[in-house]
Amino acid sequence: MIAAGPELASGQENLPSSAVASDDDPPHVGLVLSGGAARGFAHVGVIEALEAYGIQIDIVTGTSMGSIIGGLYAIGYSPARLRGVTSDLDWQRVLSDTPERRNLTIERKWEEGRLLFSIPMRGVVPELPTSLIEGQRISQVLTGLTWSVHAESDFTAFPRPFGAVATELETGEAVPLRSGYLPRAIRASLSIPAAFAPVEIDGRLLIDGGLARNLPAQDALDLGADWLICSDVSEPLSSQDSLSNLAEILNQTIAYRMWESTEIQRSLCDVLIVPDVPSSLSTGFDRSEEIIEYGTMAAEAVLDSLIRLGLPVAPDTGIRDRVSARLDPLPGPVRIASIDVVGLERVDRATIDRTLEVEPGDLVSAAEMDRDISRLYDTRLFRSVWYRLTPAAGAAGESDLMDLTVEVRERNRNSLGVSYRYDSRYKASLLLGAGFRNLVFPGSFARGEVRLGEQTRFAAEFGKRWGWSAAPIAALRFDSRRMPFDIFEMGRSVAEPDVSSTLIHGVAGFSFGYSAFVGVEGGFQSLAIDEAPDDRDWLAGDEDFWTVAGVVRVDRWDRARFPRRGWALQGQALWTAGISNDGDFSQQVVDAQGIMPISGQIGILARLTAGATDGDSIPLNYLYFVGGAQQYDLYRDHQFPFYGLGVNEKRGRYLQAATLGLQWEFMSDFFAQVRGNTAALPEQWDWDDDAFFWGWGVTLGAWTRFGSGALTVAGEDFSEWPRVEIDVGFPF
């Protein structure tokens, strides 16, 4: 065996008798690629070096990341294309199944980003998930990259015969995958336990092949290879000094068996290449170019020895002819002849048709199909969505005419979630939420949440959406909330009355696409205001009255917290009836905000707000309040941030406000924001320059899987010590 890598010296140069080259019967050379997460990018460098020297590869096998690189190479990807795939993919998105916000309906955008975590429920009983993520995005990527072989079920018929390896979850045995649907086979081979959901193939649940055979040398021999070149980036066993925490110890216990198998498989290799990729790069998916170079260097260390041993170099026939005759592995758009959907149980076919937005006769590209499948998965109706393109029956002479098969696995639609937040004014809060689908009839949705803390809330909603994109929506809502309001006079807090309100409302309207809603909501409201001071400018005490409002909501943010781009609009025109002493009032408010990228990671922040109230008796919670750095959810159409003032420090019946600032993402998901704002709360709707007051704020913030954090320093001017506010957790 010839070996190259850390602590591996060039060894014997004796070829097995079966591998001795001859003009009549040249040996078949197999390339064996191990698993190793991002370290597996080094395989691309190995392939580049082998091809640069004209070394022929006839057979390919791979496990986990090796199955991705090996599978694509087997169907005709060049080393340059493989390099492009590893560097161009957005791996952060590929390795996450978080819905794209643009694919969420307008009501689900409001929910998104509010929960720390949620668990599925079977009926009303919680059940643990099988993995952190389903692995949908990586499945889609593999499906798009392998369009040219969707119709080919025999992997040995590829330009280079190919085999992947997975592990059967039930028995722990290695499962060779040499036929079937290539993207599904690769997806099974990389199903890291607990991280990705297992994949079912032929009735067996399969997980990462690295657990049983991380270096599939035997599989290459079984496919007919006479000579094996093995590229192994397996993670080495840790030394005693490194075993300092639970995760490392658990990983070591799993690695024992992997290394027992790997040592056996290494003994079958004629050439063993071990790229010296640091362990720290195992998750370095954004450093593919660096990792590839480790593979190139390791392969170049043995190339001269390979040629001296008589390995076939640049043959005139054979594999290169098969590859060159092959269609481009990334073909152009195809025309859809028919669409078949497999796996539907409770979801109706119309939902699929409306969401996919592709019909027979349409010309679609791989990127367009990926977009449509993402939209279908992001409905959260399905645990997984696969698609496959096969030549249409009777389409002789029309090579681009394809039948589309969509295979879905429906999701357990009920869920239970929890969340938290802490802010300087209202301190710690806890949120418990539950969601249900098809609770009474197909297409229905039901939600409930309980908020605990200084701000309390119990809310429930039941409704139905007729359609998925542009569609009518109707819902019935119950909302009971209690919240203290800060009352300031001359810049000093003088009271803190509690406002308790209970609303029973109906909502009806129409969504436009995924980002806008126009409708009417109205119903009954019961209001109680406690501990109000005698000298007041609002309606206090107990009141029961009716409301009706026209509403417009638009949400085009790219994410819920610290968006990088997008805009949002909230508008409402409200009328009341039934308030005692003819105290009915009407109110209109418009709030528009946006962020526009201007250069690199810098964007302009802007917000404009205007509100007007007509009537003699206005309940406290219907006045406009400004102050504080945070947007509060319970009365988000009446409480607005203002940098430089305390929470709720100023109030009025009319509001004119504007904010302008800059946002800089100085590290991934770490932000600095600088804002200036001005506002007026006049007694009548008029414009008076002298009525406006000013403030400024600087925020340092971050967004993580465990919530956001923001530290804001703000003031009215620079002559006084600024205010400091903290907000940690999730927006609710």
Side-chain angles (χ1 to χ4, degrees):
M1 178 176 68
I2 300 171
E7 301 180 4
L8 293 174
S10 294
Q12 62 190 46
E13 297 187 0
N14 298 327
L15 287 176
S17 58
S18 62
V20 177
S22 71
D23 294 336
D24 296 331
D25 185 23
H28 293 91
V29 179
L31 178 64
V32 181
L33 307 177
S34 77
R39 291 158 52 93
F41 293 155
H43 298 322
V44 177
V46 171
I47 294 171
E48 281 185 338
L50 295 177
E51 286 215 351
Y53 272 65
I55 294 175
Q56 170 186 329
I57 301 298
D58 301 285
I59 293 167
V60 185
T61 58
T63 296
S64 199
M65 180 59 80
S67 73
I68 299 179
I69 304 300
L72 297 180
Y73 185 53
I75 68 174
Y77 275 70
S78 66
R81 271 223 169 116
L82 291 173
R83 183 183 282 267
V85 168
T86 60
S87 61
D88 294 344
L89 280 178
D90 181 355
W91 287 97
Q92 185 175 3
R93 175 183 179 273
V94 168
L95 299 176
S96 168
D97 284 344
T98 302
E100 295 184 62
R101 206 163 189 274
R102 63 181 178 180
N103 291 339
L104 300 181
T105 56
I106 183 68
E107 67 272 19
R108 286 192 59 223
K109 281 184 169 68
W110 178 79
E111 301 173 18
E112 189 257 345
R114 289 163 58 86
L115 296 177
L116 171 61
F117 68 86
S118 62
I119 58 175
M121 292 190 295
R122 188 169 297 279
V124 295
V125 179
E127 61 178 5
L128 292 176
T130 59
S131 60
L132 292 176
I133 65 171
E134 181 66 33
Q136 174 67 28
R137 302 299 185 205
I138 187 66
S139 299
Q140 286 179 225
V141 168
L142 295 171
T143 303
L145 293 172
T146 58
W147 264 34
S148 64
V149 294
H150 278 203
E152 183 59 77
S153 298
D154 183 3
F155 302 169
T156 65
F158 294 163
R160 295 180 177 89
F162 172 69
V165 176
T167 302
E168 186 173 9
L169 183 58
E170 182 178 3
T171 65
E173 298 298 319
V175 179
L177 299 171
R178 301 167 191 165
S179 63
Y181 185 41
L182 180 61
R184 194 191 298 270
I186 296 175
R187 168 66 180 80
S189 182
L190 58 82
S191 296
I192 301 171
F196 295 113
V199 175
E200 183 176 348
I201 296 180
D202 296 333
R204 296 185 293 186
L205 280 180
L206 304 181
I207 57 176
D208 194 301
L211 297 176
R213 191 152 63 236
N214 199 47
L215 186 67
Q218 182 61 56
D219 300 86
L221 294 175
D222 293 343
L223 287 174
D226 303 303
W227 224 93
L228 297 186
I229 302 174
C230 301
S231 177
D232 189 6
V233 293
S234 302
E235 187 78 27
L237 290 172
S238 300
S239 63
Q240 179 175 328
D241 294 341
S242 301
L243 300 174
S244 58
N245 58 57
L246 177 62
E248 291 168 348
I249 292 173
L250 290 176
N251 184 65
Q252 184 88 335
T253 60
I254 295 172
Y256 289 144
R257 184 184 177 191
M258 292 177 57
W259 267 98
E260 181 181 351
S261 166
T262 297
E263 292 294 345
I264 295 172
Q265 296 300 307
R266 281 186 172 189
S267 69
L268 302 176
C269 300
D270 300 295
V271 175
L272 177 61
I273 301 171
V274 184
D276 189 14
V277 185
S279 297
S280 60
L281 291 180
S282 293
T283 57
F285 292 95
D286 58 342
R287 299 170 66 179
S288 62
E289 293 293 328
E290 178 183 349
I291 297 172
I292 287 171
E293 293 311 310
Y294 284 104
T296 302
M297 291 186 292
E300 288 176 344
V302 299
L303 285 174
D304 290 340
S305 297
L306 289 174
I307 295 172
R308 289 199 306 271
L309 291 173
L311 200 65
V313 175
D316 296 328
T317 60
I319 185 64
R320 292 185 182 279
D321 291 341
R322 298 202 302 273
V323 172
S324 62
R326 190 77 190 181
L327 291 175
D328 190 325
L330 289 174
V334 298
R335 193 168 300 280
I336 303 300
S338 66
I339 302 175
D340 185 28
V341 181
V342 178
L344 288 178
E345 296 177 6
R346 301 182 67 185
V347 178
D348 61 348
R349 172 63 187 267
T351 296
I352 304 287
D353 295 336
R354 283 190 297 264
T355 307
L356 282 180
E357 296 184 358
V358 59
E359 298 178 352
D362 288 351
L363 193 67
V364 298
S365 66
E368 291 168 333
M369 275 305 308
D370 183 74
R371 177 203 64 198
D372 286 354
I373 295 299
S374 288
R375 187 184 298 117
L376 187 60
Y377 178 76
D378 288 346
T379 64
R380 310 307 280 171
L381 297 174
F382 307 103
R383 292 185 62 183
S384 64
V385 182
W386 290 89
Y387 75 93
R388 188 171 186 174
L389 295 164
T390 54
E398 296 184 72
S399 60
D400 68 338
L401 192 60
M402 297 285 178
D403 290 329
L404 170 64
T405 301
V406 179
E407 180 184 336
V408 299
R409 188 159 55 111
E410 293 188 9
R411 180 186 298 273
N412 184 353
R413 301 171 189 85
N414 302 339
S415 63
L416 180 67
V418 65
S419 193
Y420 77 97
R421 72 169 293 160
Y422 176 90
D423 66 83
S424 299
R425 169 58 186 90
Y426 294 106
K427 310 307 179 187
S429 298
L430 181 69
L431 180 71
L432 302 175
F436 305 87
R437 287 192 179 275
N438 302 326
L439 189 62
V440 178
F441 48 81
S444 68
F445 60 86
R447 290 186 285 266
E449 68 176 43
V450 176
R451 175 176 181 153
L452 305 175
E454 280 197 66
Q455 298 173 314
T456 61
R457 183 179 197 175
F458 173 74
E461 179 181 26
F462 178 80
K464 179 176 174 61
R465 165 185 279 268
W466 286 267
W468 205 255
S469 179
I473 306 173
L476 181 65
R477 295 173 180 168
F478 173 83
D479 192 330
S480 179
R481 63 185 78 170
R482 184 195 66 81
M483 175 177 155
F485 277 78
D486 298 287
I487 304 302
F488 285 79
E489 298 295 345
M490 305 298 292
R492 185 173 62 88
S493 178
V494 297
E496 189 182 296
D498 279 338
V499 176
S500 299
S501 64
T502 300
L503 300 89
I504 301 176
H505 273 192
V507 181
F510 203 88
S511 72
F512 294 88
Y514 289 85
S515 301
F517 172 81
V518 176
V520 176
E521 60 183 47
F524 175 78
Q525 181 171 169
S526 179
L527 184 67
I529 303 176
D530 299 329
E531 300 180 9
D534 294 334
D535 183 16
R536 57 184 179 264
D537 55 357
W538 64 85
L539 178 66
D542 299 339
E543 287 289 345
D544 298 332
F545 56 97
W546 298 87
T547 66
V548 62
V551 295
V552 176
R553 296 188 181 94
V554 180
D555 186 333
R556 299 295 302 273
W557 295 125
D558 62 344
R559 62 182 190 179
R561 189 79 160 117
F562 291 114
R564 298 181 177 96
R565 65 181 68 237
W567 59 281
L569 173 68
Q570 177 174 289
Q572 176 178 278
L574 176 141
W575 295 267
T576 67
I579 296 180
S580 60
N581 301 320
D582 296 323
D584 299 336
F585 66 94
S586 63
Q587 188 171 70
Q588 302 80 41
V589 61
V590 176
D591 181 35
Q593 50 186 316
I595 179 169
M596 181 180 67
I598 56 173
S599 175
Q601 303 302 312
I602 298 176
I604 296 177
L605 305 162
R607 185 169 188 170
L608 293 173
T609 308
T613 309
D614 294 313
D616 294 330
S617 301
I618 313 300
L620 172 62
N621 56 315
Y622 280 91
L623 294 176
Y624 296 113
F625 286 83
V626 297
Q630 311 307 324
Q631 177 77 63
Y632 293 104
D633 193 62
L634 266 60
Y635 291 99
R636 62 183 307 114
D637 51 355
H638 290 89
Q639 282 184 297
F640 299 95
F642 191 89
Y643 301 90
L645 296 178
V647 175
N648 295 343
E649 186 169 336
K650 292 184 181 293
R651 66 185 183 273
R653 299 188 178 196
Y654 296 85
L655 172 64
Q656 302 158 350
T659 301
L660 188 64
L662 290 175
Q663 174 174 284
W664 174 35
E665 186 176 8
F666 56 90
M667 292 173 55
S668 178
D669 291 326
F670 285 80
F671 300 85
Q673 297 174 334
V674 179
R675 291 185 179 92
N677 47 203
T678 184
L681 294 159
E683 291 299 319
Q684 299 293 330
W685 185 262
D686 56 16
W687 189 271
D688 181 359
D689 292 345
D690 295 333
F692 280 86
F693 46 92
W694 301 79
W696 60 271
V698 177
T699 299
L700 292 177
W703 173 254
T704 74
R705 173 65 184 84
F706 303 100
S708 62
L711 173 68
T712 300
V713 177
E716 292 184 79
D717 53 44
F718 296 99
S719 62
E720 297 181 359
W721 192 257
R723 301 173 183 270
V724 178
E725 295 187 44
I726 297 174
D727 180 53
V728 178
F730 292 82
F732 61 79

